[in-house]
Amino acid sequence: MSILAIISYRKRQHQFVLCRLNIILNVILLLLFVLYAPKLSGDPYVSKKGIGLVLPLLSIVFLALANIAIQKDEKLVKSSGRLRK
């Protein structure tokens, strides 16, 4: 889904919606990881599950930053459209 959002750079509203949907899916994935991580086998003192919990969190942060940049681009395009008319 992130690749689709990157490819749709000409359709900023579509890109914004894809990023929002991707954030929602990553939050659901993170919640599932948090709920089911204690039930996984392994030594309770040495956790090898940490990277799986960090990657969706990093993805959410970067997607939120991408949404902020998409909104700034949309405002810039709208303001330059007003100047041309």
Side-chain angles (χ1 to χ4, degrees):
M1 190 171 294
S2 294
I3 292 173
L4 286 175
I6 292 170
I7 292 172
S8 64
Y9 61 91
R10 291 184 186 211
K11 303 174 188 173
R12 282 176 301 280
Q13 291 298 330
H14 184 67
Q15 189 179 27
F16 185 75
V17 170
L18 283 175
C19 282
R20 285 267 173 116
L21 184 61
N22 203 353
I23 287 173
I24 292 169
L25 291 175
N26 275 316
V27 167
I28 292 170
L29 180 68
L30 185 64
L31 289 175
L32 287 174
F33 280 164
V34 168
L35 289 175
Y36 290 112
K39 296 178 185 177
L40 295 175
S41 64
D43 190 15
Y45 298 109
V46 180
S47 177
K48 296 179 182 178
K49 306 162 197 150
I51 191 72
L53 294 172
V54 171
L55 289 178
L57 188 62
L58 283 174
S59 178
I60 291 168
V61 169
F62 288 131
L63 285 167
L65 291 172
N67 270 346
I68 292 170
I70 292 168
Q71 285 177 341
K72 284 183 182 178
D73 287 344
E74 188 66 28
K75 286 181 184 178
L76 181 66
V77 168
K78 285 183 181 181
S79 70
S80 68
R82 281 187 237 131
L83 293 174
R84 280 190 264 164
K85 291 181 181 182

